[in-house]
Each structure stands twice: as C-alpha cells, then as structure tokens.
Coordinates of all heavy atoms in Angstrom, one line a residue:
Y68 N -1.3 14.4 -1.1 CA -2.3 14.1 -2.2 C -2.1 12.7 -2.7 O -3.1 12.0 -2.9 CB -2.0 15.1 -3.3 CG -2.8 14.8 -4.6 CD1 -4.2 15.2 -4.6 CD2 -2.2 14.2 -5.7 CE1 -4.9 15.0 -5.8 CE2 -3.0 13.9 -6.8 CZ -4.3 14.3 -6.9 OH -5.0 14.0 -8.0
L69 N -0.9 12.3 -2.9 CA -0.7 10.9 -3.4 C -1.2 9.8 -2.5 O -1.8 8.8 -2.9 CB 0.8 10.7 -3.7 CG 1.4 11.5 -4.8 CD1 2.9 11.3 -4.9 CD2 0.8 11.1 -6.2
I70 N -1.0 10.1 -1.2 CA -1.5 9.1 -0.2 C -3.0 9.1 -0.1 O -3.7 8.1 -0.1 CB -0.9 9.4 1.2 CG1 0.6 9.2 1.1 CG2 -1.5 8.6 2.3 CD1 1.4 9.6 2.4
Y71 N -3.6 10.3 -0.1 CA -5.0 10.5 0.0 C -5.8 9.8 -1.1 O -6.8 9.2 -1.0 CB -5.4 12.0 0.1 CG -6.9 12.2 0.3 CD1 -7.6 12.0 1.5 CD2 -7.7 12.6 -0.8 CE1 -8.9 12.2 1.6 CE2 -9.0 12.8 -0.7 CZ -9.7 12.6 0.5 OH -11.0 12.8 0.6
T72 N -5.2 10.0 -2.3 CA -5.9 9.4 -3.5 C -5.5 8.0 -3.8 O -6.1 7.4 -4.7 CB -5.5 10.3 -4.8 OG1 -4.1 10.3 -4.9 CG2 -6.0 11.7 -4.6
G73 N -4.7 7.4 -2.9 CA -4.3 6.0 -3.1 C -3.3 5.7 -4.2 O -3.0 4.6 -4.5
L74 N -2.7 6.8 -4.7 CA -1.7 6.6 -5.8 C -0.4 6.1 -5.2 O 0.4 5.5 -5.8 CB -1.5 7.9 -6.5 CG -2.7 8.4 -7.3 CD1 -2.4 9.8 -7.9 CD2 -3.0 7.4 -8.4
F75 N -0.2 6.4 -3.9 CA 1.0 5.9 -3.1 C 0.5 5.5 -1.8 O -0.1 6.2 -1.0 CB 2.0 7.0 -3.0 CG 3.2 6.6 -2.1 CD1 4.0 5.6 -2.5 CD2 3.5 7.3 -1.0 CE1 5.0 5.2 -1.7 CE2 4.5 7.0 -0.2 CZ 5.3 5.9 -0.5
I76 N 0.8 4.2 -1.5 CA 0.4 3.6 -0.2 C 1.7 3.2 0.5 O 2.3 2.2 0.3 CB -0.5 2.4 -0.4 CG1 -1.8 2.8 -1.2 CG2 -0.9 1.7 0.9 CD1 -2.7 1.6 -1.6
P77 N 2.1 4.0 1.5 CA 3.4 3.8 2.2 C 3.5 2.4 2.8 O 4.6 1.8 2.8 CB 3.4 4.9 3.2 CG 2.5 6.0 2.7 CD 1.4 5.3 2.0
N78 N 2.4 2.0 3.4 CA 2.5 0.7 4.1 C 2.8 -0.5 3.2 O 3.2 -1.6 3.7 CB 1.1 0.4 4.9 CG 1.1 1.2 6.1 OD1 2.1 1.6 6.7 ND2 -0.1 1.4 6.7
K79 N 2.6 -0.4 1.9 CA 3.0 -1.5 1.0 C 4.5 -1.8 1.1 O 4.9 -2.9 0.8 CB 2.6 -1.1 -0.4 CG 1.2 -1.3 -0.8 CD 0.9 -1.1 -2.2 CE -0.5 -1.4 -2.6 NZ -0.8 -1.2 -4.1
L80 N 5.3 -0.8 1.6 CA 6.7 -1.0 1.7 C 7.0 -2.1 2.7 O 8.1 -2.7 2.7 CB 7.4 0.3 2.0 CG 7.3 1.4 1.0 CD1 7.9 2.7 1.6 CD2 7.9 1.1 -0.3
F81 N 6.1 -2.3 3.7 CA 6.3 -3.3 4.7 C 5.8 -4.7 4.4 O 6.0 -5.6 5.2 CB 5.6 -2.8 6.0 CG 6.1 -1.5 6.6 CD1 5.3 -0.4 6.5 CD2 7.3 -1.5 7.2 CE1 5.8 0.8 7.0 CE2 7.8 -0.3 7.8 CZ 7.0 0.9 7.6
L82 N 5.2 -4.8 3.2 CA 4.6 -6.1 2.9 C 5.7 -7.0 2.2 O 6.3 -6.6 1.3 CB 3.4 -6.0 1.9 CG 2.3 -5.1 2.4 CD1 1.2 -5.0 1.3 CD2 1.7 -5.5 3.7
P83 N 5.8 -8.3 2.7 CA 6.7 -9.2 2.1 C 6.2 -9.6 0.7 O 5.0 -9.5 0.4 CB 6.7 -10.4 3.0 CG 5.4 -10.3 3.7 CD 5.1 -8.9 3.9
R84 N 7.1 -10.0 -0.2 CA 6.7 -10.4 -1.6 C 5.7 -11.5 -1.6 O 4.8 -11.5 -2.5 CB 8.0 -10.8 -2.3 CG 8.9 -9.6 -2.6 CD 10.1 -10.1 -3.5 NE 11.0 -9.0 -3.8 CZ 12.1 -9.1 -4.5 NH1 12.4 -10.3 -5.1 NH2 12.9 -8.1 -4.7
D85 N 5.7 -12.4 -0.7 CA 4.8 -13.5 -0.7 C 3.6 -13.4 0.2 O 3.0 -14.3 0.7 CB 5.6 -14.8 -0.4 CG 6.2 -14.8 1.0 OD1 6.3 -13.6 1.6 OD2 6.7 -15.8 1.5
A86 N 3.3 -12.1 0.5 CA 2.2 -11.8 1.5 C 0.9 -12.4 1.0 O 0.6 -12.3 -0.2 CB 2.1 -10.3 1.7
I87 N 0.1 -12.8 1.9 CA -1.3 -13.3 1.6 C -2.2 -12.1 1.9 O -2.4 -11.6 3.0 CB -1.7 -14.4 2.5 CG1 -0.7 -15.6 2.3 CG2 -3.1 -14.9 2.3 CD1 -1.0 -16.8 3.3
I88 N -2.7 -11.5 0.8 CA -3.4 -10.3 0.8 C -4.9 -10.5 0.5 O -5.2 -11.3 -0.4 CB -2.8 -9.3 -0.2 CG1 -1.4 -8.9 0.3 CG2 -3.6 -8.0 -0.3 CD1 -0.6 -8.1 -0.7
G89 N -5.8 -9.7 1.1 CA -7.2 -9.7 0.8 C -7.9 -8.4 1.0 O -7.2 -7.4 1.5
C90 N -9.2 -8.4 0.8 CA -9.9 -7.1 0.9 C -11.1 -7.4 1.9 O -11.4 -8.5 2.3 CB -10.5 -6.7 -0.4 SG -11.6 -7.8 -1.2
D91 N -11.7 -6.3 2.3 CA -13.0 -6.4 3.0 C -14.0 -5.5 2.4 O -13.6 -4.4 2.0 CB -12.9 -6.2 4.5 CG -12.4 -4.8 4.9 OD1 -11.1 -4.6 4.9 OD2 -13.2 -3.9 5.1

C-alpha cells in the first residue's frame, strides 16, 4: 500500500545526497 500510493519509494534509498533529480 505504501509503495503503491507513493508514500514510500524504496528506490530513493539508492540515491546519493547530491543526486541530480528531475521529472518527466
């Protein structure tokens, strides 16, 4: 439920603190 609703995104654990992030 948490993953489906976007309340918890497991892959964020792999992102470095200084990651360059964007959307599409």
Side-chain angles (χ1 to χ4, degrees):
Y68 174 79
L69 292 174
I70 293 172
Y71 180 78
T72 57
L74 295 174
F75 174 60
I76 300 175
N78 280 339
K79 281 188 175 181
L80 300 174
F81 297 106
L82 304 182
R84 291 184 178 180
D85 57 349
I87 300 175
I88 294 174
C90 63
D91 60 272

